């Protein structure tokens, strides 16, 4: 059997046995009882004999249907779920508004991709990126999503991209 340790849980870590030959995705899908602490969806580690043998990014499954990193469990394996990493949010005229966990260096373009793309009602030229700066002050930057330079804007943890809808005016 394998063992699951939810590291970021505020409660005492618990072990869950999984049948040998199972896959981590199956174990995770049947898991319940976490205390609501934010665990990573992008860095789930399968450890064998104290070494990481596989890292599972659930975004690969959720966005692309890719299960290639879902290795078979062996006796003594541990599924380790660290705390969530850096996050950024996207709201407004986006198909999947949410807060997303970032992986490595991320850009506005990646956040739009994670959000499923713009809705037909979006006004991409009027998007705004809200950020807390080094002085702990909120700043707002104009981000024209039709511009490659703007799409390449680097994200920081805590950023929020707001995508407004087109103005409700009619052309004659």
């Amino acid at each position: 059997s394998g063992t699951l340790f939810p590291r970021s849980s505020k409660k005492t870590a618990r072990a869950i046995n999984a049948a040998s030959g199972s896959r981590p995705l199956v174990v995770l899908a049947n898991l319940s009882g976490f205390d609501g602490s934010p665990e990573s969806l992008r860095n789930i580690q399968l450890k064998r004999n104290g070494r990481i043998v596989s890292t599972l990014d659930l975004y690969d499954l959720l966005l692309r249907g890719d299960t290639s990193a879902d290795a078979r469990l062996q006796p003594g394996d541990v599924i380790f779920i660290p705390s969530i990493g850096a996050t950024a949010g996207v709201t407004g005229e986006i198909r999947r508004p949410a807060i997303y966990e970032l992986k490595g260096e991320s850009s506005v373009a990646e956040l739009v991709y994670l959000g499923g793309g713009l809705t037909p009602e979006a006004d991409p030229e009027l998007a705004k990126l809200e950020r807390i700066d080094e002085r702990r002050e909120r700043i707002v930057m104009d981000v024209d999503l039709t511009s490659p330079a703007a799409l390449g804007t680097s994200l920081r943890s805590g950023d929020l991209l707001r995508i407004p809808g087109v103005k409700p005016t009619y052309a004659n």
Side-chain angles (χ1 to χ4, degrees), residues 31-89:
L31 183 64
S32 64
F34 278 92
D35 67 358
S37 298
E39 282 87 23
S40 177
L41 295 177
R42 306 210 67 184
N43 188 27
I44 298 168
Q45 301 166 4
L46 173 59
K47 293 186 173 189
R48 186 169 296 143
N49 299 320
R51 293 196 172 133
I52 298 172
V53 295
S54 178
T55 301
L56 186 61
D57 182 345
L58 286 183
Y59 283 22
D60 289 340
L61 169 68
L62 298 172
L63 298 174
R64 292 183 282 283
D66 180 1
T67 61
S68 62
D70 192 24
R72 291 224 178 260
L73 295 177
Q74 295 179 6
D77 282 356
V78 173
I79 299 173
F80 178 72
I81 307 172
S83 297
I84 195 167
T87 60

Side-chain angles (χ1 to χ4, degrees), residues 76-165:
D77 282 356
V78 173
I79 299 173
F80 178 72
I81 307 172
S83 297
I84 195 167
T87 60
V90 60
T91 189
E93 295 300 326
I94 190 90
R95 295 187 189 281
R96 288 188 300 267
I99 297 172
Y100 292 95
E101 185 176 5
L102 306 176
K103 191 172 185 179
E105 294 293 320
S106 299
S107 67
V108 167
E110 181 180 357
L111 188 57
V112 171
Y113 169 75
L114 292 173
L118 305 178
T119 67
E121 295 83 21
D123 189 339
E125 296 177 352
L126 297 179
K128 307 275 186 209
L129 185 65
E130 295 180 12
R131 169 175 290 169
I132 305 296
D133 69 9
E134 295 78 18
R135 297 178 308 204
R136 305 297 304 154
E137 295 177 351
R138 184 174 306 277
I139 61 171
V140 179
M141 300 180 285
D142 293 327
V143 181
D144 179 353
L145 299 178
T146 63
S147 160
L151 288 170
T153 302
S154 293
L155 295 174
R156 294 184 193 167
S157 190
D159 281 357
L160 177 63
L161 180 63
R162 293 185 185 274
I163 304 168

